[in-house]
Amino acid sequence: IKQKANTLLSDFWGDSIDITKEGRIVDRSAQDQSESPNGSDKKQRSPRQTGIVVGIDFGNTFTGVSYAHQGDGELIDVVKWPKHQNSYAKVPTVSLYKTNENKALVDWGSSALTSYKRSKIDRVLIRDYKLLLFDQVAKGRLDNGLHLTDVFTQYLQSIHRHLMEEVNKSQVMAAETVPIHYCITVPQSWTLPTRELILRCYVEAGIILQTPAPNMTVITEAEAAATYCREKCEEFESLKDGDIFMICDAGGLTTTVTVFRVDDALGVRQFVRMSSSHAENCGSVLLDRRFRELILSKLVGLDIDAKPTRQKAFETLLEGFREIKSQFDAGSKDEIKHISVPMGLDVKDLNPPPVWLEDEYMALKGQELCDLVFDPVVEMVQNLVNMQSRANPVCAGLFMVGGFGANKYLLHKLDQVKDVGSTGDRRSRSLLNGMADMNLNGDGHGGGCPGVIKKMIMVQKAELAVARGAVIYGLKSASQYTKAFL
């Protein structure tokens, strides 16, 4: 096994790479030079070419990309995207197409959103198409005549082209001349045919030459997140053999909770996947939609579609929720949030004048935002966690990843459940039993009292945890991480 692993490593990274008994990757080149100062006994070796490992987290709402040079292993995130105007590190998973006969790709990512906002004539915006890959009976052709695989392939080509530009900025050698190993992530629930379909799209995009490809590793999103948490979270160091931990990946539209068990039986730490629960319409996009409905309820009597300027002003007002959402925490329910109201919205035409208008701002009560925007979505995530907690009564830690996973209010609400679960008083148990009677559909299908979650951990750079974990996994996939998950 060691010989085979070393062969894989040397093919990609050079003959100076070796693996210790503990599974660590070691660079022997410096040692060889020190043993042969005059070079008389040193083996003649070709110049070593440093490789690059790329991690791609293709999400339904946003896509994250990170990479690292093999020489130093430092994680580099691709955060600069074409016409990307906000600070969020990931790029929107959207594509803009013409609706004429050739159905050509016009733009992608943030550029697609900007172009579509400027002009919608003869154009169609394609989004949420990752969800179609969960549907085993979904047809390949989209409603507008486009093929699902073509949309996915062209989006990958755009992402990869931009990645190569970013890599070229960070090194002297052209990215096209450097060995690149890709580690891509897929949902646990995707079937083998779906995964093979995705790999064929990578071939069509010109990223890999064949499938299976020696320079591509495929792992689940939960495995990538667990790998990142293992390397970057101090709380992971306290886990012992047999401990249960959860990964809650709360994204834009979907949330997945996966349970792992630590297994040190073979002398090398491994993770056994125990179970997982998944829900759509359970992410930060739902917050945006509910906020939109709240604002519309406050603008009753105002015809938004009457003027193009009014439509744009309305969309501009909604964009103010981005800052509220990112900073919303436990104390926000007792605060008043203010959003600037653009002049083009014509709110002064409302009769009587709205009570929420303060100067040029819309005043929103934090409690109202909790009740109508945040809590309905947060409760769905709580139910997913409770579903797994009932089956695994003692959890050493719950690690929060994903864009929505970085929300402080979500962490606060989940932490409340943790605190209740660890107490033994009658009132707490009564509350837990009430929560146990809820499921995603609210039909009263229970299953026992949720268990104890000892720690709640919000992972740093939570939105990039999957992409970063894929890079770490890819860097070490030829050694211990090839069998890290059972």
Side-chain angles (χ1 to χ4, degrees):
I1 295 175
K2 179 174 181 291
Q3 182 179 2
K4 181 178 180 181
N6 281 336
T7 301
L8 290 171
L9 284 169
S10 62
D11 286 346
F12 182 55
W13 287 332
D15 295 332
S16 298
I17 295 298
D18 197 2
I19 304 177
T20 66
K21 294 180 179 179
E22 295 79 19
R24 296 177 55 197
I25 299 176
V26 179
D27 187 351
R28 303 289 190 191
S29 57
Q31 179 180 344
D32 293 340
Q33 293 176 6
S34 62
E35 291 176 354
S36 305
N38 297 325
S40 56
D41 299 325
K42 187 171 67 174
K43 295 180 180 179
Q44 296 295 324
R45 290 176 177 160
S46 58
R48 184 172 165 216
Q49 191 175 32
T50 301
I52 296 174
V53 174
V54 174
I56 301 177
D57 170 26
F58 172 69
N60 185 71
T61 312
F62 291 94
T63 294
V65 180
S66 300
Y67 67 96
H69 297 271
Q70 179 271 326
D72 54 26
E74 180 182 357
L75 292 172
I76 303 172
D77 307 313
V78 179
V79 296
K80 295 182 179 180
W81 301 97
K83 297 183 181 179
H84 202 55
Q85 299 177 351
N86 58 60
S87 59
Y88 195 58
K90 300 169 76 173
V91 62
T93 309
V94 295
S95 301
L96 184 65
Y97 282 86
K98 291 183 178 180
T99 56
N100 55 19
E101 293 183 359
N102 64 5
K103 296 180 175 60
L105 176 66
V106 177
D107 229 326
W108 61 280
S110 299
S111 296
L113 294 175
T114 302
S115 299
Y116 189 66
K117 185 182 298 185
R118 186 169 55 247
S119 175
K120 300 180 181 180
I121 300 175
D122 297 328
R123 296 182 179 188
V124 58
L125 192 68
I126 307 297
R127 63 199 322 166
D128 296 338
Y129 51 88
K130 181 182 178 181
L131 290 181
L132 297 177
L133 295 169
F134 286 92
D135 187 356
Q136 300 305 312
V137 298
K139 297 181 179 179
R141 185 180 293 274
L142 303 176
D143 293 339
N144 46 47
L146 294 166
H147 286 275
L148 176 61
T149 53
D150 290 341
V151 173
F152 182 64
T153 298
Q154 291 173 350
Y155 183 81
L156 286 177
Q157 285 177 325
S158 303
I159 286 284
H160 190 259
R161 189 182 307 113
H162 181 75
L163 168 67
M164 293 297 99
E165 294 174 359
E166 291 297 304
V167 171
N168 284 333
K169 295 177 184 178
S170 65
Q171 62 180 26
V172 177
M173 297 180 64
E176 292 77 9
T177 65
V178 177
I180 299 180
H181 185 91
Y182 300 91
C183 186
I184 67 172
T185 62
V186 297
Q188 179 69 44
S189 57
W190 276 5
T191 62
L192 183 58
T194 300
R195 298 186 186 194
E196 291 176 345
L197 174 67
I198 293 303
L199 287 176
R200 287 199 295 271
C201 289
Y202 275 90
V203 174
E204 291 295 323
I207 299 175
I208 56 176
L209 298 178
Q210 61 187 22
T211 177
N215 65 325
M216 177 168 283
T217 304
V218 182
I219 61 171
T220 67
E221 294 162 350
E223 289 172 345
T227 301
Y228 178 73
C229 292
R230 169 178 177 159
E231 293 293 316
K232 300 299 180 179
C233 296
E234 295 180 358
E235 294 83 357
F236 223 94
E237 298 176 2
S238 62
L239 295 181
K240 303 182 295 296
D241 182 37
D243 278 352
I244 298 291
F245 68 93
M246 297 184 192
I247 300 290
C248 179
D249 186 356
L253 196 60
T254 61
T255 295
T256 303
V257 179
T258 307
V259 181
F260 291 97
R261 175 173 56 82
V262 179
D263 187 348
D264 296 337
L266 299 178
V268 178
R269 173 149 292 191
Q270 297 173 314
F271 303 136
V272 181
R273 190 181 71 87
M274 306 293 290
S275 59
S276 65
S277 54
H278 170 89
E280 299 171 9
N281 295 328
C282 186
S284 62
V285 170
L286 270 296
L287 299 179
D288 299 334
R289 294 177 182 175
R290 298 188 72 89
F291 180 78
R292 183 187 184 94
E293 294 300 318
L294 174 62
I295 299 303
L296 285 174
S297 70
K298 294 181 177 297
L299 296 175
V300 172
L302 187 67
D303 188 356
I304 302 296
D305 298 327
K307 302 177 183 178
T309 54
R310 192 176 291 177
Q311 293 176 354
K312 292 183 179 180
F314 176 67
E315 295 298 330
T316 300
L317 186 147
L318 294 179
E319 290 174 0
F321 181 59
R322 184 182 302 142
E323 183 177 355
I324 292 179
K325 181 170 61 174
S326 63
Q327 298 178 0
F328 207 82
D329 56 20
S332 295
K333 67 177 182 179
D334 300 321
E335 300 174 352
I336 302 294
K337 303 294 184 180
H338 294 86
I339 297 182
S340 177
V341 179
M343 292 182 59
L345 195 57
D346 303 326
V347 294
K348 293 183 179 180
D349 293 349
L350 290 172
N351 188 17
V355 296
W356 46 258
L357 186 62
E358 296 181 2
D359 294 329
E360 302 298 327
Y361 291 88
M362 175 182 286
L364 299 169
K365 295 180 180 179
Q367 187 63 57
E368 184 179 35
L369 290 170
C370 288
D371 295 340
L372 300 178
V373 178
F374 284 89
D375 285 348
V377 181
V378 168
E379 286 173 4
M380 295 182 70
V381 180
Q382 287 177 320
N383 288 336
L384 286 176
V385 173
N386 290 339
M387 185 185 303
Q388 297 303 324
S389 183
R390 285 193 291 269
N392 303 276
V394 180
C395 175
L398 173 62
F399 296 84
M400 303 294 299
V401 302
F404 190 31
N407 184 272
K408 295 179 181 179
Y409 185 72
L410 173 61
L411 180 69
H412 163 69
K413 298 292 284 187
L414 290 176
D415 203 42
Q416 281 185 327
V417 176
K418 180 210 73 172
D419 293 338
V420 171
S422 61
T423 59
D425 61 89
R426 183 178 302 175
R427 182 178 179 184
S428 299
R429 289 301 175 185
S430 176
L431 175 59
L432 274 175
N433 287 326
M435 295 183 65
D437 289 336
M438 297 185 299
N439 71 352
L440 292 178
N441 299 316
D443 58 6
H445 185 272
C449 180
V452 175
I453 300 176
K454 296 182 178 180
K455 292 182 181 180
M456 305 289 301
I457 303 100
M458 180 182 289
V459 179
Q460 292 185 353
K461 292 185 178 291
E463 71 278 10
L464 289 168
V466 174
R468 287 178 143 231
V471 175
I472 297 171
Y473 193 101
L475 283 168
K476 303 180 180 181
S477 63
S479 57
Q480 69 265 38
Y481 277 103
T482 52
K483 295 297 181 181
F485 298 93
L486 297 177

